[in-house]
Amino acid sequence: MQISPGDIILEIGCGPLDDVHILAGRCSPEGLVIGSDISSSLVTLAKKAFNIPNLSYIRMDGQYSAVRDGVCDAVREDRVLQHVQDPQHVIDEMYRVLKPGGRCVLFEPDWENFIIDGVDEGVTRAILNFWSDQFACGHIGRKLSRLCQNAGFTDVTVYPRTMIMTTLKEAETIFTVTENANRAAVAGCVSQKEADAFLAHLTEMDRKGLFFGSFTGYLVSGKK
């Protein structure tokens, strides 16, 4: 983000205890960080969590009219657009609020890049696709570069970030494997017998130290 003291930064989807306090430290003392989130309760929690003079919070849901054109030096979002029906609109807004030369930084998953070494490839694929399809835009990772360029950003750079999982516990943390296998069975994507066999295989592989899974997300930056 190339933050300097005095910068004005917009954090989209700040949540209650995210990275806004770190950003506030980077742009201190004269700078300002605006943390935005769609959830009123999370914004309230965030206001209570930190008492930092150059940090403010506002509830916004993709319409950033509270932020004037061309006032921000940097805009950041992290795993928000996967939940948005129209990510292009949000990225267009990121472009609008930036000053000329300002930078955007985005990180998003592409859930079709989540893989697990399962006993049956068809069943495994059906369960993982079921998970991906639960998101408003589960394939946003592959779209970020194009959407940023559509908005007008230049110097758009993509950095893949891959996480390797060698234990079932890690996969449960990021993917809630058991819950989603059972949900896929309830939805009719696989049978309950197939879901049970899938989970039994993963448990056995984990016991033997042979479990493998991975996930790739995409960090994208651009300049106005």
Side-chain angles (χ1 to χ4, degrees):
M1 295 178 73
Q2 301 179 5
I3 298 170
S4 300
D7 281 354
I8 298 174
I9 304 164
L10 173 63
E11 168 85 0
I12 294 174
C14 63
L17 293 170
D18 212 326
D19 299 321
V20 285
H21 61 295
I22 299 174
L23 298 175
R26 298 280 179 88
C27 68
S28 292
E30 294 88 4
L32 173 67
V33 176
I34 305 166
S36 71
D37 202 279
I38 193 173
S39 169
S40 298
S41 60
L42 287 180
V43 170
T44 300
L45 287 172
K47 289 178 178 178
K48 294 178 179 178
F50 297 107
N51 184 22
I52 300 174
N54 65 329
L55 179 56
S56 65
Y57 294 92
I58 187 169
R59 183 188 176 278
M60 291 189 282
D61 61 356
Q63 303 291 336
Y64 299 98
S65 55
V67 182
R68 297 193 307 274
D69 294 2
V71 300
C72 294
D73 297 281
V75 183
R76 176 179 182 269
E77 76 82 30
D78 182 357
R79 291 166 294 172
V80 173
L81 298 181
Q82 62 181 326
H83 304 296
V84 174
Q85 292 287 349
D86 186 4
Q88 181 71 73
H89 172 73
V90 177
I91 295 174
D92 288 345
E93 285 289 276
M94 295 172 71
Y95 186 87
R96 178 185 65 79
V97 304
L98 280 171
K99 299 175 182 177
R103 296 187 64 80
C104 71
V105 174
L106 310 89
F107 180 81
E108 288 294 336
D110 194 306
W111 286 114
E112 203 165 290
N113 285 334
F114 190 97
I115 62 173
I116 290 179
D117 182 17
V119 64
D120 182 297
E121 292 183 2
V123 171
T124 301
R125 188 179 300 113
I127 292 172
L128 297 183
N129 285 345
F130 170 80
W131 163 259
S132 176
D133 291 343
Q134 302 310 298
F135 293 87
C137 194
H139 300 150
I140 182 60
R142 72 189 66 177
K143 304 176 188 296
L144 283 181
S145 177
R146 170 172 56 84
L147 298 182
C148 285
Q149 292 179 72
N150 285 347
F153 286 105
T154 61
D155 297 336
V156 176
T157 307
V158 180
Y159 307 88
R161 294 290 185 264
T162 299
M163 175 185 182
I164 302 297
M165 291 161 284
T166 57
T167 69
L168 180 56
K169 181 179 180 180
E170 290 177 292
E172 286 283 16
T173 299
I174 197 171
F175 178 60
T176 54
V177 178
T178 299
E179 176 186 344
N180 280 289
N182 288 322
R183 288 177 62 212
V186 171
C189 298
V190 296
S191 68
Q192 188 61 57
K193 182 178 179 180
E194 288 171 327
D196 291 343
F198 169 79
L199 294 171
H201 172 76
L202 298 187
T203 300
E204 179 64 11
M205 292 300 98
D206 187 57
R207 186 186 67 80
K208 292 179 177 179
L210 298 175
F211 181 90
F212 181 84
S214 76
F215 163 75
T216 299
Y218 297 94
L219 181 69
V220 176
S221 68
K223 184 173 71 174
K224 180 171 180 178

